[in-house]
Amino acid sequence: MSFAGEVKAELCRTSLNRKCCIQAEAYGILLYCNTYNSGEIRIITENDAFAQRLPLLFKKAFKLTFDRLPSPDGKHIFSITNPDKLGVVADTYGGGGPALSLHVNYAVLEENCCRSAFLRGAFLAGGSVTDPRKSYHLEMTTSHLSVGREMVALMRELDLEPKDAQRKGNSVIYFKQSNRIEDFLTTIGAPLAAMEIMNTKLEKNLRGSVNRRVNCDAANMDKVVEAAIAQTEAIRRLEESGQLGNLPEKLQESARLRLAHPEDTLSQLAQRCDPPITKSALNHRLRKLVELGKQEEN
């Protein structure tokens, strides 16, 4: 199952107890479903959990059944065309008329619990969310432009701060920040999905930190190797020119140790000196050998 499918399955496990919230969830579904007007309600979904929830939800919200239920094969299609049933639905949200589906009736969404249920219904009917392992994106789409604008205002009252756009004549509300998506999913009743996004983000950050550390260590190792090669080459030139034996004993000791242990770090090499010296002191000696070696090269 996709991540979006898992989110909707979690939402559909929300209990149907308070009638006001049940009707609010149904309202969100209606305003974000495929068709909602004075002549028809049509809801199409591919999500099995949502398809199982719909009949019970509408039964509790309006005390009615769908005129059309899904066939055994294909997409889940629910519809109501009976004028009396459509009238019951219209009366629930403030009366009938052709403009019914074009606006959000805030009077039926006074409580925060009802607003959360309304958003849950909207997401179930018209929402999608990408797998957080790939990217962060959640959106809800409705064909009713006024509903989209009013939904943005409603969500901002809940401190959700969505962005909005129009796409192919539809109103799209979306989030692209992981923390905003987490807040939204928690608000509508999917805390497990929100936690999964948090965990995925932590894994990404940890993986990125490890990769940066590995890359940094690799870069540092490259520098160490390059420096050791330069030191060895300089010492060889001094040796070939006969100048190495004329150098102070401390430089000769450092040269012998570098040739004998070409893969050692400065810290390791410094401990091999007799007596051991600091890394800084050894680095100074080796730099002096490199300078002298360059003079022999010229």
Side-chain angles (χ1 to χ4, degrees):
M1 183 185 295
S2 67
F3 180 71
E6 292 175 356
V7 172
K8 291 188 177 183
E10 181 182 356
L11 293 174
C12 289
R13 291 194 290 271
T14 305
S15 60
L16 297 171
N17 295 325
R18 299 184 62 183
K19 188 171 183 178
C20 60
C21 292
I22 294 171
Q23 291 181 340
E25 183 175 326
Y27 196 24
I29 291 171
L30 291 168
L31 294 180
Y32 275 78
C33 70
N34 302 82
T35 302
Y36 176 41
N37 55 46
S38 58
E40 181 184 17
I41 293 171
R42 180 182 296 175
I43 304 167
I44 302 174
T45 180
E46 296 180 353
N47 187 272
D48 294 337
F50 183 35
Q52 292 173 5
R53 185 178 180 83
L54 271 173
L56 180 59
L57 180 74
F58 269 58
K59 186 70 174 179
K60 289 192 171 187
F62 313 112
K63 296 183 179 180
L64 55 79
T65 58
F66 287 98
D67 295 332
R68 175 182 174 180
L69 293 171
S71 59
D73 301 321
K75 293 181 179 179
H76 304 299
I77 301 177
F78 299 83
S79 69
I80 297 175
T81 54
N82 182 289
D84 293 334
K85 294 180 180 180
L86 292 171
V88 171
V89 174
D91 290 341
T92 302
Y93 303 117
L100 171 67
S101 62
L102 301 180
H103 294 278
V104 176
N105 183 355
Y106 294 102
V108 299
L109 303 174
E110 293 182 350
E111 302 294 332
N112 281 340
C113 59
C114 294
R115 293 183 175 191
S116 296
F118 175 72
L119 294 177
R120 178 168 58 249
F123 180 80
L124 285 170
S128 64
V129 58
T130 58
D131 189 327
R133 291 172 294 183
K134 299 177 181 177
S135 64
Y136 301 119
H137 184 86
L138 182 149
E139 68 176 45
M140 296 188 297
T141 304
T142 178
S143 59
H144 311 305
L145 301 184
S146 296
V147 169
R149 290 193 295 269
E150 292 159 1
M151 178 69 90
V152 170
L154 177 66
M155 293 173 74
R156 284 177 177 164
E157 289 183 12
L158 296 173
D159 296 325
L160 293 174
E161 298 301 327
K163 296 185 180 298
D164 62 297
Q166 290 189 23
R167 183 193 303 150
K168 297 180 180 179
N170 294 321
S171 173
V172 181
I173 294 174
Y174 65 94
F175 300 97
K176 282 188 172 294
Q177 293 178 298
S178 61
N179 61 318
R180 297 292 188 188
I181 297 174
E182 292 161 13
D183 291 343
F184 177 78
L185 292 178
T186 301
T187 297
I188 66 175
L192 296 180
M195 185 63 69
E196 185 171 344
I197 293 176
M198 294 179 196
N199 291 337
T200 301
K201 181 167 58 177
L202 288 174
E203 289 178 9
K204 285 183 178 180
N205 291 340
L206 179 59
R207 190 178 297 111
S209 177
V210 170
N211 287 339
R212 286 192 294 272
R213 179 64 181 270
V214 169
N215 292 337
C216 181
D217 289 346
N220 289 337
M221 183 58 68
D222 289 343
K223 291 179 180 179
V224 169
V225 171
E226 290 175 1
I229 292 173
Q231 293 158 9
T232 301
E233 291 177 349
I235 294 168
R236 294 293 187 195
R237 283 193 293 270
L238 291 170
E239 193 175 43
E240 290 171 359
S241 66
Q243 295 301 313
L244 187 60
N246 299 327
L247 298 178
E249 178 56 32
K250 291 181 179 180
L251 290 183
Q252 292 187 45
E253 178 191 34
S254 299
R256 289 194 300 271
L257 289 172
R258 172 48 80 198
L259 292 177
H261 306 282
E263 296 181 356
D264 275 10
T265 64
L266 287 178
S267 297
Q268 293 169 331
L269 211 59
Q271 293 303 307
R272 295 183 184 276
C273 292
D274 185 21
I277 61 176
T278 65
K279 174 182 173 180
S280 177
L282 179 62
N283 187 43
H284 176 74
R285 294 182 187 179
L286 292 174
R287 282 185 178 177
K288 184 63 176 179
L289 289 169
V290 171
E291 291 176 3
L292 293 172
K294 287 182 178 179
Q295 293 176 6
E296 290 301 319
E297 183 180 19
N298 298 331

